[in-house]
């Protein structure tokens, strides 16, 4: 099993902690002038998303996690599983609901996502920062209605509901920021 | 000097270079005023520091006189003590120091060290002088003195001189700290763990703090004062929780020096760390007699960081090792 010494620690390094794959977020070298050196690290658990603090005696080794990020095209879903394909190798992987998380709200067939696999199995999916989706339902805006702040809800083809300006109509294509879940602009086909 | 400064983002700002130049001039003015002699000693030495926690950078000479490995000095302590034995009186040195395996926001394998020795001083008198030095060269307020024991008891709730490893481990776990398994039964490593995880950050800020009277197991080359508990007459200077200097009442007994060096080598062996040759030139000089004195080594780059509020050594010094760029990554 591959191992990393604390000397190799850096942001983004994938290591195993308590049997879960984790990524190093922050690494600080701490040492009293005449004393023991430590690496104080912040680590994000890639399964739970939780960030924890860990301290290692400098020079210790930690088991590496076989975690790979790859750009993959979303192909289709049967509602319980989502299938992605590596556009270079044509290799396909199937992700479950847990790995999808919030990404499910933004997934449109053929969009390229970052799929993180651990030992070959998808553990997380990050959609493109911006996606273009069609409005499937939105009530007409009421001109002069200031109580809603000049916006109204709209349901998109993926089922996601976002706030949009009053001029948006059913059938419009919208550019949406998936990181914030906010409307960016109207888009052309 | 070029009218334009910049382009190379790995360099500190020009204003910081000017600030460093002013600090170095102020340091020299301080010691000139105290009639302390500036000296230069070799940076390549025949032996490295014996401390378990110090790892030497090694360089190789090849040429007339024969080929030989030399150790880049982690501090000029051994060479300066030979000058003291020879009768130099009080001396100071501004030089580069080298430490292998140390790189981070506050660490660089190569850094600038100010080291000075005062004959006739004990560590108390030297702590007073360190405080004066900071007032005059760095514009800091007068230093506060806090004993290692008091700081430890306040921050950790344990008396550090007598506490067993098991007791320190329990205290760390009670504080919710994640203790590396490999240090669980190592008393000194646990003390260092608690110091860096809890004590340092509990110290007063905005004022220099002199932490004094260290555990005898961490005496290095400090005099040990008998008592209950016995303590090492050693101090560390902190500013905003960052260690700036280490000093002590210097051990003067030549036989005790040899005993401590050999004890360090025993600890090195036990820890699986390479043993080091002893500095026989120093041990011979010590037999002629080291005058009563106290000495301190102060990191000039970190002092500059403290004075300017910099968050990383790269902001104040030109560094080779890119890892020193910092811990905040990702």
């Amino acid at each position: 099993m591959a191992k990393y010494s604390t000397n190799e620690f850096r942001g983004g390094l994938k290591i195993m902690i308590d049997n879960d794959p984790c990524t190093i977020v922050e690494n600080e070298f701490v040492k009293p002038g005449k004393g023991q050196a430590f690496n104080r690290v912040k680590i994000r658990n890639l399964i739970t998303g939780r960030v924890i603090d860990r301290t290692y005696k400098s020079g210790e080794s930690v088991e590496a996690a076989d975690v790979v990020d790859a750009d993959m095209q979303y192909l289709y879903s049967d509602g319980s599983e989502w299938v992605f394909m590596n556009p270079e190798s044509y290799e396909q992987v199937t992700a479950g609901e847990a790995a999808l998380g919030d990404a499910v709200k933004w997934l449109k067939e053929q969009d390229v996502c970052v799929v993180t696999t651990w030992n070959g199995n998808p553990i997380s999916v990050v959609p493109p920062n911006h996606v273009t989706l069609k409005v499937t339902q939105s009530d007409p805006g009421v001109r002069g209605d200031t109580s809603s702040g000049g916006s109204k809800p709209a349901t998109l083809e993926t089922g996601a509901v976002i706030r949009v300006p009053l001029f948006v109509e059913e059938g419009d294509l919208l550019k949406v920021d998936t990181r914030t879940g906010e409307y960016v602009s109207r888009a052309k086909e | 000097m070029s009218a334009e400064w910049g382009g190379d983002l790995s360099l500190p700002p020009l204003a910081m270079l000017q600030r460093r130049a002013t600090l170095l001039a102020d340091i020299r003015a301080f010691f000139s005023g105290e009639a302390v002699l500036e000296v230069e000693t070799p940076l390549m030495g025949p032996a490295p520091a014996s401390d378990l926690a110090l790892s030497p950078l090694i360089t190789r000479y090849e040429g007339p006189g024969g080929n030989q490995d030399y150790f880049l000095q982690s501090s000029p302590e051994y060479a300066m003590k030979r000058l003291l034995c020879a009768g130099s009186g009080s001396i100071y040195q501004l030089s580069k120091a080298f430490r292998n395996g140390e790189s981070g926001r506050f660490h660089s394998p190569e850094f600038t060290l100010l080291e000075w020795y005062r004959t006739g001083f004990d560590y108390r008198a030297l702590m007073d002088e360190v405080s004066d030095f900071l007032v005059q060269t760095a514009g800091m307020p007068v230093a506060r003195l806090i004993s290692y024991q008091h700081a430890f008891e306040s921050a950790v709730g344990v008396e550090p001189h007598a506490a067993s490893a098991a007791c320190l481990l329990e205290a760390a776990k009670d504080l919710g700290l994640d203790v590396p398994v490999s240090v669980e039964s190592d008393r000194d490593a646990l003390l260092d763990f608690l110091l860096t995880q809890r004590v340092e950050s509990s110290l007063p800020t905005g004022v220099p703090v002199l932490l004094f009277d260290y555990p005898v197991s961490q005496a290095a080359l400090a005099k040990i004062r008998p008592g209950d508990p016995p303590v090492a007459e050693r101090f560390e200077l902190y500013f905003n929780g960052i260690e700036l200097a280490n000093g002590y009442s210097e051990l003067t007994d030549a036989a005790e020096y040899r005993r401590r060096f050999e004890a360090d080598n025993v600890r090195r062996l036990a820890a699986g760390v390479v043993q080091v040759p002893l500095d026989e030139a120093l041990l011979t000089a010590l037999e002629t007699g080291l005058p009563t004195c106290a000495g301190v080594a102060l990191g000039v780059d970190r002092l500059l960081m403290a004075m300017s509020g910099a968050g990383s050594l790269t902001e104040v010094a030109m560094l080779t090792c890119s890892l020193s760029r910092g811990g905040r990554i990702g």
Side-chain angles (χ1 to χ4, degrees):
Chain A
M1 189 61 78
K3 292 201 157 205
Y4 292 120
S5 147
T6 57
N7 291 340
E8 297 171 271
F9 279 10
R10 59 188 159 71
L13 193 73
K14 308 293 193 295
I15 56 177
M16 293 298 296
I17 306 284
D18 303 335
N19 302 316
D20 275 351
C22 299
T23 185
I24 293 180
V25 178
E26 198 175 300
N27 171 38
E28 181 116 70
F29 180 77
V30 184
K31 180 183 184 301
K34 294 202 171 288
Q36 176 64 52
F38 297 98
N39 284 66
R40 198 188 282 160
V41 293
K42 278 197 191 306
I43 301 162
R44 189 171 64 249
N45 183 312
L46 291 171
I47 303 291
T48 66
R50 238 160 51 88
V51 174
I52 57 165
D53 293 317
R54 273 289 163 106
T55 303
Y56 294 92
K57 183 175 158 180
S58 293
E60 279 182 327
S61 290
V62 182
E63 194 182 316
D66 179 18
V67 170
V68 179
D69 291 335
D71 287 337
M72 289 197 173
Q73 195 171 44
Y74 168 54
L75 297 182
Y76 61 89
S77 169
D78 66 3
S80 63
E81 293 186 325
W82 286 257
V83 179
F84 296 83
M85 181 185 72
N86 185 320
E88 280 161 22
S89 65
Y90 303 110
E91 177 204 357
Q92 293 187 9
V93 296
T94 302
E97 203 168 350
L100 262 292
D102 271 1
V104 73
K105 289 200 300 192
W106 313 114
L107 280 188
K108 200 168 89 172
E109 284 162 17
Q110 285 164 35
D111 275 355
V112 176
C113 304
V114 177
V115 177
T116 303
T117 56
W118 172 40
N119 296 333
N121 302 311
I123 52 172
S124 84
V125 173
V126 178
N129 290 342
H130 296 104
V131 290
T132 300
L133 298 170
K134 184 176 280 184
V135 177
T136 53
Q137 195 280 321
S138 190
D139 294 333
V142 179
R143 200 183 299 263
D145 175 8
T146 52
S147 63
S148 59
S151 70
K152 60 175 184 172
T155 306
L156 307 177
E157 58 184 300
T158 55
V161 178
I162 64 168
R163 303 292 304 180
V164 299
L166 299 178
F167 57 74
V168 169
E169 295 171 0
E170 283 183 16
D172 280 354
L173 284 173
L174 304 184
K175 184 175 173 187
V176 181
D177 190 322
T178 60
R179 295 162 296 186
T180 57
E182 285 172 2
Y183 164 91
V184 177
S185 64
R186 275 193 290 196
K188 294 205 166 64
E189 190 77 58
Chain B
M1 191 185 299
S2 160
E4 301 259 336
W5 176 260
D8 183 344
L9 295 178
S10 67
L11 299 180
L14 182 58
M16 191 59 78
L17 268 59
Q18 291 159 342
R19 196 154 186 187
R20 173 182 289 266
T22 301
L23 175 62
L24 294 178
D26 289 345
I27 290 172
R28 291 195 158 96
F30 176 86
F31 288 110
S32 177
E34 299 290 331
V36 177
L37 181 69
E38 178 166 12
V39 297
E40 287 189 353
T41 60
L43 295 184
M44 303 191 312
S50 60
D51 307 56
L52 174 62
L54 291 178
S55 174
L57 273 162
I58 300 170
T59 191
R60 182 164 178 79
Y61 169 81
E62 293 176 353
N67 303 343
Q68 194 184 333
D69 285 343
Y70 285 99
F71 300 91
L72 294 175
Q73 298 293 280
S74 56
S75 96
E77 177 173 2
Y78 296 175
M80 289 180 79
K81 282 182 173 168
R82 286 171 60 197
L83 295 179
L84 289 158
C85 291
S88 64
S90 295
I91 49 177
Y92 80 98
Q93 176 158 217
L94 270 166
S95 67
K96 285 296 182 97
F98 301 86
R99 295 183 186 182
N100 209 348
E102 303 190 9
S103 189
R105 278 201 299 147
F106 295 99
H107 294 82
S108 166
E110 173 184 344
F111 60 100
T112 302
L113 197 64
L114 164 66
E115 182 147 332
W116 81 91
Y117 291 86
R118 290 294 239 142
T119 56
F121 277 38
D122 65 2
Y123 77 134
R124 288 265 174 188
L126 188 58
M127 282 194 280
D128 287 345
E129 183 166 77
V130 167
S131 180
D132 289 346
F133 169 87
L134 294 171
V135 169
Q136 289 188 40
T137 63
M140 288 182 179
V142 171
R144 281 178 56 182
L145 270 67
I146 300 174
S147 76
Y148 184 95
Q149 177 176 344
H150 178 79
F152 229 89
E153 286 174 345
S154 305
V156 180
V158 168
E159 196 285 306
H161 296 291
S164 64
C167 172
L168 293 169
L169 178 62
E170 195 183 318
K173 291 194 165 163
D174 285 348
L175 289 168
L177 296 173
D178 159 53
V179 185
V181 175
S182 53
V183 304
E184 281 188 345
S185 57
D186 182 339
R187 205 183 96 85
D188 280 308
L190 284 167
L191 286 171
D192 289 337
F193 177 78
L194 288 163
L195 183 82
T196 51
Q197 293 281 331
R198 275 293 183 274
V199 180
E200 288 181 346
S201 56
S202 77
L203 299 175
T205 55
V207 59
V209 174
L210 289 157
L211 205 61
F212 66 96
D213 285 352
Y214 270 64
V216 291
S217 58
Q218 301 190 355
L221 297 175
K223 259 187 187 150
I224 289 174
R225 187 173 73 239
D228 184 24
V231 292
E233 289 194 345
R234 179 183 153 200
F235 65 87
E236 293 265 357
L237 167 66
Y238 281 90
F239 188 80
N240 289 346
I242 302 301
E243 179 191 343
L244 297 183
N246 169 69
Y248 31 81
S249 295
E250 299 294 343
L251 186 65
T252 51
D253 179 349
E256 177 67 7
Y257 269 90
R258 187 178 289 278
R259 202 193 62 72
R260 291 203 195 168
F261 287 155
E262 286 170 350
D264 277 345
N265 263 339
V266 169
R267 288 205 279 171
R268 283 177 166 268
L269 186 66
V273 178
V274 68
Q275 294 189 310
V276 298
L278 304 194
D279 190 334
E280 292 298 338
L282 169 65
L283 289 165
T284 303
L286 289 166
E287 277 163 22
T288 68
L290 179 68
T292 297
C293 64
V296 58
L298 183 149
V300 175
D301 312 285
R302 286 199 194 167
L303 177 60
L304 209 46
M305 284 179 70
M307 291 167 66
S308 61
S312 169
L313 283 172
T314 48
E315 294 171 41
V316 302
M318 194 170 161
L319 302 175
T320 300
C321 198
S322 63
L323 288 175
S324 309
R325 240 160 263 271
R328 240 155 270 283
I329 47 180

